[in-house]
Amino acid sequence: MTASILVDGVAASTVTVLDRGLAFGDGIFRTLEVRAGRALNWDRHFRRLAHDCQALDIPVPDEAVLRSEIARVAPREAVVKITVTRGTSGRGYSKPTETVARRIVAAFDPPEYPAELARDGIRVRRCDLVLSEQPRLAGVKTLNRLENVLARSEWFDASIREGLLCDREGRLVEATMSNVFLVVAGALVTPLLTRCGVAGAQRDRVRDLAAAGGITCDVRDVAFAELEEADEVFLANSLIGLWPVVALGEKKWPVGSLTRRFQSEIAADDAKA
Amino acid sequence: MTASILVDGVAASTVTVLDRGLAFGDGIFRTLEVRAGRALNWDRHFRRLAHDCQALDIPVPDEAVLRSEIARVAPREAVVKITVTRGTSGRGYSKPTETVARRIVAAFDPPEYPAELARDGIRVRRCDLVLSEQPRLAGVKTLNRLENVLARSEWFDASIREGLLCDREGRLVEATMSNVFLVVAGALVTPLLTRCGVAGAQRDRVRDLAAAGGITCDVRDVAFAELEEADEVFLANSLIGLWPVVALGEKKWPVGSLTRRFQSEIAADDAKA
């Protein structure tokens, strides 16, 4: 894995071991795609990043600084991961009196997902891991991601591309690295993320595109069993775009027309200058 | 803050930004005191550290290596923090096929808690933050510690030394940086940590000392309201030893005889060669 990295604007590959991001996962991150030097879906990524920093009371990095750093590490095609931590402090949990946030902007090779995943759809599983509920952190992409690591380690079958995650009431929340949408009677449904889960910028875009296109998108609690009745199911994140879900165990779904429509709209949005 | 640090046995102050400890909090840590070059309560610390690594499927560092690294960073008096992460991998949540754990052994200045805290006891508060429940990680001192950070940031009154944490059923679990014990009718009670919380090595020692001294220690669910009926309350961790809790709002407790007894026994145990 090659990576071009800036730490607080300076080319570097390391960070102090005293950083609170390492000590406590005290920080947030966002991952996005850069294509032909353009950070795709940037406005929504930055809005989420700013929201997440505020949720943890970490100063929000300057947007122009972030944009220029992305341009430096990713002049053409790349995956860029932006991490913001609460920086360095003493040993304990107490936050420093004055936080100097640490900013890590790292470019990785662009994603290489086979084209058939978006075209033909993917198989998923239901993970055994049950998401814990912490309303104070729900929706926020914090550096506390052990649940995702544990969930992703449940299967090795490469033909299964994602795992669906539920809370302890059996509500569908998300997948390990993506958000989930159901199509029910011509409308979109996506889980409310007020107890757990990560709200992705691609999820925001699907909601915005739906609103702009006159398609209802209900953001609400979704019982796992509702998947049975869904006409279409798809997953969204900033690197995969939209993947149709076509199988969960014995249950099958078609790649439906609304999934195709949102795939096209996202592609068109990404192609805009 | 001065720190003497070894990363994988080599003097260093930094770690790659690609470390999974930073990326996902994918690792564990333990903090202990070194006095006159001796790692206090070492056996229990190592047992916990090994257990925590196993809980995350991270290879357990060699005990002799850790001991020699502690001796190198902390020849005399220090606080030593041992962090073990899943090391470096690609960008996603998937664990590497073969994990090469990363080991960080860092020595800090010894704790400087005023002696009157252990002598006269402390005031505590009940934190507003409600601990989330994740049985897969309960008891484990993972690097996912944002809840502790949030809880510790709830108060600035320096006269309040700790904050008590409950789960959403209102069960007492722990304090932000210590475990909690109640004395009820001559026996110890300490919360079960199977849903949330961190199991400290000092908690293990109190339990062992109680067993050796013929004092019952019940490890069970504890309703927060049971504090009202407790004869004594104390907090335990590896740096504070035992702090008697003497006030929570209007509620007061005396510094009782069992608290004093365990303080003495811990001091005696720490003084042993």
PDB file of all heavy atoms in Angstrom, chain B residues 8-21:
ATOM      1  N   ASP B   8       8.015  -1.249  19.652  1.00  0.00           N
ATOM      2  CA  ASP B   8       8.570  -2.545  19.235  1.00  0.00           C
ATOM      3  C   ASP B   8      10.033  -2.672  19.658  1.00  0.00           C
ATOM      4  O   ASP B   8      10.884  -3.146  18.890  1.00  0.00           O
ATOM      5  CB  ASP B   8       8.398  -2.735  17.719  1.00  0.00           C
ATOM      6  CG  ASP B   8       6.931  -2.886  17.335  1.00  0.00           C
ATOM      7  OD1 ASP B   8       6.136  -3.358  18.178  1.00  0.00           O
ATOM      8  OD2 ASP B   8       6.573  -2.514  16.211  1.00  0.00           O
ATOM      9  N   GLY B   9      10.312  -2.191  20.854  1.00  0.00           N
ATOM     10  CA  GLY B   9      11.638  -2.385  21.425  1.00  0.00           C
ATOM     11  C   GLY B   9      12.664  -1.343  21.038  1.00  0.00           C
ATOM     12  O   GLY B   9      13.796  -1.383  21.522  1.00  0.00           O
ATOM     13  N   VAL B  10      12.283  -0.422  20.176  1.00  0.00           N
ATOM     14  CA  VAL B  10      13.228   0.585  19.694  1.00  0.00           C
ATOM     15  C   VAL B  10      12.823   1.957  20.234  1.00  0.00           C
ATOM     16  O   VAL B  10      11.648   2.317  20.183  1.00  0.00           O
ATOM     17  CB  VAL B  10      13.232   0.600  18.141  1.00  0.00           C
ATOM     18  CG1 VAL B  10      14.165   1.684  17.617  1.00  0.00           C
ATOM     19  CG2 VAL B  10      13.610  -0.765  17.604  1.00  0.00           C
ATOM     20  N   ALA B  11      13.789   2.707  20.743  1.00  0.00           N
ATOM     21  CA  ALA B  11      13.493   4.047  21.247  1.00  0.00           C
ATOM     22  C   ALA B  11      12.870   4.880  20.133  1.00  0.00           C
ATOM     23  O   ALA B  11      13.460   5.014  19.059  1.00  0.00           O
ATOM     24  CB  ALA B  11      14.765   4.706  21.772  1.00  0.00           C
ATOM     25  N   ALA B  12      11.700   5.411  20.374  1.00  0.00           N
ATOM     26  CA  ALA B  12      10.974   6.156  19.344  1.00  0.00           C
ATOM     27  C   ALA B  12       9.882   6.963  20.022  1.00  0.00           C
ATOM     28  O   ALA B  12       9.441   6.622  21.115  1.00  0.00           O
ATOM     29  CB  ALA B  12      10.356   5.199  18.323  1.00  0.00           C
ATOM     30  N   SER B  13       9.455   8.023  19.384  1.00  0.00           N
ATOM     31  CA  SER B  13       8.359   8.789  19.972  1.00  0.00           C
ATOM     32  C   SER B  13       7.159   8.793  19.037  1.00  0.00           C
ATOM     33  O   SER B  13       6.127   9.375  19.346  1.00  0.00           O
ATOM     34  CB  SER B  13       8.812  10.223  20.229  1.00  0.00           C
ATOM     35  OG  SER B  13       9.245  10.805  19.018  1.00  0.00           O
ATOM     36  N   THR B  14       7.285   8.116  17.903  1.00  0.00           N
ATOM     37  CA  THR B  14       6.195   8.147  16.930  1.00  0.00           C
ATOM     38  C   THR B  14       5.840   6.746  16.458  1.00  0.00           C
ATOM     39  O   THR B  14       6.569   5.788  16.684  1.00  0.00           O
ATOM     40  CB  THR B  14       6.592   8.965  15.671  1.00  0.00           C
ATOM     41  OG1 THR B  14       7.701   8.326  15.030  1.00  0.00           O
ATOM     42  CG2 THR B  14       6.961  10.396  16.027  1.00  0.00           C
ATOM     43  N   VAL B  15       4.705   6.699  15.779  1.00  0.00           N
ATOM     44  CA  VAL B  15       4.214   5.449  15.216  1.00  0.00           C
ATOM     45  C   VAL B  15       3.624   5.810  13.847  1.00  0.00           C
ATOM     46  O   VAL B  15       3.194   6.944  13.636  1.00  0.00           O
ATOM     47  CB  VAL B  15       3.181   4.838  16.188  1.00  0.00           C
ATOM     48  CG1 VAL B  15       1.908   5.662  16.252  1.00  0.00           C
ATOM     49  CG2 VAL B  15       2.863   3.405  15.873  1.00  0.00           C
ATOM     50  N   THR B  16       3.621   4.873  12.919  1.00  0.00           N
ATOM     51  CA  THR B  16       3.067   5.174  11.603  1.00  0.00           C
ATOM     52  C   THR B  16       1.605   5.611  11.708  1.00  0.00           C
ATOM     53  O   THR B  16       0.846   5.057  12.505  1.00  0.00           O
ATOM     54  CB  THR B  16       3.176   3.966  10.640  1.00  0.00           C
ATOM     55  OG1 THR B  16       2.352   4.231   9.498  1.00  0.00           O
ATOM     56  CG2 THR B  16       2.704   2.675  11.271  1.00  0.00           C
ATOM     57  N   VAL B  17       1.204   6.561  10.890  1.00  0.00           N
ATOM     58  CA  VAL B  17      -0.203   6.982  10.901  1.00  0.00           C
ATOM     59  C   VAL B  17      -1.092   5.862  10.360  1.00  0.00           C
ATOM     60  O   VAL B  17      -2.317   5.947  10.476  1.00  0.00           O
ATOM     61  CB  VAL B  17      -0.452   8.268  10.078  1.00  0.00           C
ATOM     62  CG1 VAL B  17       0.405   9.407  10.581  1.00  0.00           C
ATOM     63  CG2 VAL B  17      -0.244   8.053   8.597  1.00  0.00           C
ATOM     64  N   LEU B  18      -0.507   4.833   9.769  1.00  0.00           N
ATOM     65  CA  LEU B  18      -1.297   3.713   9.258  1.00  0.00           C
ATOM     66  C   LEU B  18      -1.559   2.657  10.329  1.00  0.00           C
ATOM     67  O   LEU B  18      -2.199   1.639  10.060  1.00  0.00           O
ATOM     68  CB  LEU B  18      -0.589   3.068   8.055  1.00  0.00           C
ATOM     69  CG  LEU B  18      -0.263   4.027   6.902  1.00  0.00           C
ATOM     70  CD1 LEU B  18       0.437   3.282   5.771  1.00  0.00           C
ATOM     71  CD2 LEU B  18      -1.532   4.703   6.382  1.00  0.00           C
ATOM     72  N   ASP B  19      -1.089   2.884  11.546  1.00  0.00           N
ATOM     73  CA  ASP B  19      -1.325   1.913  12.610  1.00  0.00           C
ATOM     74  C   ASP B  19      -2.832   1.806  12.878  1.00  0.00           C
ATOM     75  O   ASP B  19      -3.548   2.809  12.969  1.00  0.00           O
ATOM     76  CB  ASP B  19      -0.604   2.326  13.886  1.00  0.00           C
ATOM     77  CG  ASP B  19      -0.635   1.219  14.919  1.00  0.00           C
ATOM     78  OD1 ASP B  19      -1.639   1.133  15.681  1.00  0.00           O
ATOM     79  OD2 ASP B  19       0.313   0.424  14.961  1.00  0.00           O
ATOM     80  N   ARG B  20      -3.290   0.564  13.034  1.00  0.00           N
ATOM     81  CA  ARG B  20      -4.729   0.355  13.264  1.00  0.00           C
ATOM     82  C   ARG B  20      -5.184   0.841  14.642  1.00  0.00           C
ATOM     83  O   ARG B  20      -6.384   1.044  14.864  1.00  0.00           O
ATOM     84  CB  ARG B  20      -5.071  -1.125  13.095  1.00  0.00           C
ATOM     85  CG  ARG B  20      -4.931  -1.599  11.644  1.00  0.00           C
ATOM     86  CD  ARG B  20      -5.146  -3.096  11.530  1.00  0.00           C
ATOM     87  NE  ARG B  20      -6.493  -3.499  11.889  1.00  0.00           N
ATOM     88  CZ  ARG B  20      -7.474  -3.740  11.010  1.00  0.00           C
ATOM     89  NH1 ARG B  20      -7.248  -3.638   9.719  1.00  0.00           N
ATOM     90  NH2 ARG B  20      -8.680  -4.113  11.422  1.00  0.00           N
ATOM     91  N   GLY B  21      -4.227   1.008  15.542  1.00  0.00           N
ATOM     92  CA  GLY B  21      -4.589   1.606  16.829  1.00  0.00           C
ATOM     93  C   GLY B  21      -5.124   3.009  16.637  1.00  0.00           C
ATOM     94  O   GLY B  21      -6.124   3.408  17.257  1.00  0.00           O
TER      95      GLY B  21
END
